[in-house]
Amino acid sequence: MSEAATQARRDELARGLAAVRSRLDDAARACGREPSDVGLLTVTKFFPASDAVLLYELGCRAFGESREQEAHTKIEQFREAVPDPTVQWHMIGRLQRNKARSVSRWAHTVHSVDSARLAGALAAGATAALAAGDRAEPLRVLLQVSLDGDPQRGGVPADGLDVLADEVAAADGLELAGLMGVPPLGADLDESFETLAELGVQLRQRHPAARELSAGMSGDLEHAVRHGSTCVRVGTGVLGPRPLA
Ligand SMILES: *Cc1c(COP(=O)(O)O)cnc(C)c1O
């Protein structure tokens, strides 16, 4: 990219980031929460590593990706430009078991764990990565809850949550960190996020440290913050419309 193009993109990203931060601040204040209690995960999927570098320069330290192969390549490019080991990469998309090993090397947190088989594969990968020195901390795991009970769309049904949570909590290499949920298409947003929040309360009766609630995206973050989100995953609101793959 030319210097002018880079500067123009930097300005665009700075505007997007400021707009989202201001929405988050307003949403938090409107319900009496501290803006700093809601983390912003910038979702860079479909966008190049150069955008993540610009976002880093603008203060972002956590990025979300949804496909293993794309993430893997992007992170390598990013690390050549930004050798900061504190930057977090989060896996937020549906994950096949055969990608678990690779993801467990680079991911700080996986938001989309919805089966014991996937959790087992991640535990094996994370344990190996810890032993090899490829990672220093256990892999944080959020359980993705199905908010409409339709397992085709990903997520563990609410009635399977306890068993899966216990398995993840007991697994070597994993740290049970909380829940993630996406409201079903056409669902009432407040109802969906309220359900997720209630499941979070139930989860913490058995696992008090699992405090993360990954909820809210560009279109619905105000609703999610109102219902206790601790991490919003925002792509288009910061980076603009996604380029076609
Ligand atoms: C792509 C994606 C996002 C970001 O969505 P935007 O509408 O662009 O903010 C958030 N969460 C998940 C699981 C995603 O796949």
Side-chain angles (χ1 to χ4, degrees):
M1 259 204 284
S2 72
E3 217 163 288
T6 302
Q7 189 54 48
R9 183 60 174 152
R10 187 196 311 270
D11 292 347
E12 212 165 60
L13 292 174
R15 279 194 298 274
L17 204 54
V20 167
R21 290 219 168 105
S22 137
R23 281 176 65 192
L24 279 175
D25 283 3
D26 290 349
R29 291 215 182 82
C31 59
R33 300 184 61 198
E34 285 298 321
S36 59
D37 289 346
V38 187
L40 171 60
L41 182 67
T42 355
V43 176
T44 43
K45 69 182 184 201
F46 296 99
F47 288 97
S50 55
D51 278 351
V53 172
L54 291 173
L55 286 165
Y56 177 87
E57 289 165 5
L58 292 166
C60 296
R61 292 295 180 270
F63 302 100
E65 287 287 329
S66 66
R67 295 184 308 184
E68 198 289 319
Q69 186 61 49
E70 178 190 344
H72 192 119
T73 311
K74 193 178 301 180
I75 293 167
E76 277 180 9
Q77 293 167 348
F78 178 89
R79 284 184 179 151
E80 277 178 28
V82 181
D84 178 349
T86 67
V87 171
Q88 302 175 2
W89 291 89
H90 294 223
M91 177 65 182
I92 63 172
R94 285 198 89 172
L95 175 56
Q96 284 160 353
R97 246 183 338 140
N98 60 359
K99 303 285 168 58
R101 200 172 182 83
S102 172
V103 166
S104 61
R105 278 199 286 268
W106 59 255
H108 174 270
T109 303
V110 178
H111 291 230
S112 45
V113 174
D114 61 0
S115 76
R117 277 154 53 97
L118 176 57
L122 287 168
T127 304
L130 286 163
D134 288 336
R135 61 180 308 124
E137 306 282 343
L139 177 60
R140 293 174 80 245
V141 161
L142 306 183
L143 306 181
Q144 182 176 353
V145 185
S146 165
L147 293 172
D148 60 0
D150 178 359
Q152 297 299 98
R153 302 187 57 242
V156 58
D159 62 8
L161 209 47
D162 277 354
V163 170
L164 184 56
D166 290 351
E167 276 166 348
V168 167
D172 283 338
L174 303 184
E175 177 193 328
L176 177 65
L179 300 181
M180 185 271 248
V182 180
L185 225 60
D188 184 280
L189 295 172
D190 285 301
E191 234 169 72
S192 293
F193 288 128
E194 178 57 27
T195 300
L196 184 66
E198 284 166 6
L199 292 170
V201 171
Q202 284 175 34
L203 177 72
R204 284 191 297 281
Q205 289 172 358
R206 295 161 77 94
H207 304 284
R211 277 185 300 267
E212 197 86 78
L213 212 54
S214 169
M217 329 199 297
S218 298
D220 58 14
L221 65 87
E222 283 84 1
H223 298 267
V225 168
R226 192 180 308 151
H227 296 285
S229 172
T230 61
C231 172
V232 295
R233 311 174 307 274
V234 179
T236 52
V238 171
L239 290 111
R242 278 184 277 280
L244 295 172

